[in-house]
Amino acid sequence: MSIRLEDALKHPTLAAADPIIRAGAKAAARAQLRWIHSSEIIDIAPLLAGGELLLTGGEALALASEERQVNYIHQLAERGVAAVAIETGDALPTLPSSMVSAAEAAGLPLIELRAVVPFVGVTQAINSMLVSDSVSHLRRAEEASHAMAVELAHGGGLDRILAVLAGISHAEVTLTSVSGATLASASPASANAADADDADASSLEPQEQGRPQEQGRLIHIDVPIRGILAAQLLLRVPADEDQNLARTAGNRSVDILALALLQRMSPGLKEVAAAALLRAVDSGSQAWRLQQLASAAGIPSTAPLVAIVIRSGMLQHLRGSVEHLLARAGQPSATYVDNAELLAVAVVAGDAPGESRHALLAGLRALSAPSDTRLAVGPLAAEISEAPWSLSEARLTLDLAHALGHSHTGTHGPRSPVIDCEEFAIERLAMGSLGADQRRNFVRQQLGALLDHDAQRNSRLVGTLATWLDSGCNTAQAARELHVERQSMHQRLQRIFELCDGDPRRTGRLAALHLATRLVRLD
């Protein structure tokens, strides 16, 4: 039987840290460990496989915003981590209440380590005990994988294949589509009658009714086909069974299940063409090739569209949400994951492309996404031949937003992960048309006096002017955004006007100054 979390907390190397469970006590009582891992990286969740006890010193969390701290808990819970233990001390005196509440709601055991212990010693001591279990799990998982392959070779359906997995893992097993529809299922009881043709999800119902959900653990395992998330394997493991064996056997069964799914629902021409289209758009293929692939992918070659670029540590999970949003809009679209990016093209309504694009932006902003997600929507492309341009502009927007630290994200605020490339139109034009020296010379010509004043007196007149111009010269709004009194704002503007040879609204220099304040951020 695997090592339980309670036993690990009592191990001398970890007990020295004076651990106390702050949240998820019920889950902690039945949690089993697959491995112990230590990391200070906040966005560590995508690198974990589930079942880990994660140790962290808390220094990075202490510097993170409350939103990132809560997202840290949510991502670890979604990943199936067994527990997270955070060391408190000078950097992080106490565990934030928001993290404790989030962990309790998610059922993730959250442990406070009230004394410093060497994490290396803890991981070495306890992981060495887990290794022998891992070897046994791998051997039994290989046996299950082989038996599932034999079942598949003899024409067995998904229910029969899952029955093999259910038999060895003693778990109730369900295979669902990306949208959540049940494709097949099996229970330990059905494993003893795997030759029954009518074994289906109904065999699960009595057990679900007889066993409260909190007494077991639900393990989620992605099942990709050709790099694309096609299904999800769910294993509900009773509290008294070996969760790590179920997880290992489930992971070993992924390839067999992918083959079975390919036989059942092989990707059609449309899906293959959609992936090929995005690859061609990304590589900037010739117009005739894009038109050919667009037609095969069900995308009108002359319809207006936009390109989307998404960067995140959990792209496969986001892909389903994005595809669902695009399908709900009723417009043809295609998506593709490559090189840590999710790429998409989406047709917009031809009678009102601008409104359709704004609606798409609003829908994307409403999606739930990990804290590390950054998404840019490219400019309107008149037809598929302009899709490479829209894609490259979206990608440039992401790079600019990163370089500028999201200092300019329009009316949606600096925290929005969804960026409209039109809010960076000036910066995109400058990067494509002006060299670095040309940009610096123009900025110096327009803002030289203000730049010198800021450098000599440690003031922020250039930033004040930029905010005022971005607000449409609305002094009251600029004062609110800068968190200053309106009288102070008027005084700053008066000094700016003196250094700029007058009120720019009366000199014809308004556009030039606005351009310069945008360019100064690039250099």
Side-chain angles (χ1 to χ4, degrees), residues 77-134:
E78 290 173 3
R79 202 63 177 172
V81 170
V84 57
I86 304 174
E87 192 177 85
T88 53
D90 293 338
L92 189 69
T94 60
L95 296 183
S97 58
S98 57
M99 292 183 69
V100 174
S101 299
E104 187 65 40
L108 174 68
L110 178 62
I111 300 159
E112 179 184 356
L113 303 179
R114 295 176 289 182
V116 177
V117 294
F119 286 168
V120 172
V122 175
T123 56
Q124 287 180 344
I126 302 180
N127 283 341
S128 63
M129 299 166 58
L130 291 168
V131 166
S132 59
D133 275 341
S134 298

Side-chain angles (χ1 to χ4, degrees), residues 130-186:
L130 291 168
V131 166
S132 59
D133 275 341
S134 298
V135 172
S136 175
H137 292 156
L138 286 172
R139 178 181 56 78
R140 297 184 63 188
E142 288 294 345
E143 293 173 358
S145 179
H146 176 72
M148 294 170 72
V150 170
E151 191 67 57
L152 176 63
H154 285 83
L158 285 170
D159 286 316
R160 288 177 177 268
I161 295 171
L162 290 182
V164 176
L165 179 59
I168 195 170
S169 64
H170 303 291
E172 294 165 353
V173 184
T174 305
L175 188 67
T176 69
S177 67
V178 174
S179 62
T182 298
L183 302 175
S185 59

Side-chain angles (χ1 to χ4, degrees), residues 8-11 14-21 85 111-115:
L9 295 179
K10 295 175 182 177
H11 191 277
L14 197 51
D18 193 15
I20 182 171
I21 299 173
I111 300 159
E112 179 184 356
L113 303 179
R114 295 176 289 182

Side-chain angles (χ1 to χ4, degrees), residues 26-27 30 211-217 236-237 239:
K26 290 183 178 179
R30 62 179 183 271
R211 180 191 303 117
Q213 181 172 340
E214 64 270 18
Q215 291 185 4
R217 182 178 181 87
R236 187 174 297 283
V237 189

Side-chain angles (χ1 to χ4, degrees), residues 48-64:
L48 302 176
E52 296 94 348
L53 166 59
L54 179 64
L55 309 176
T56 180
E59 294 185 1
L61 284 170
L63 299 175

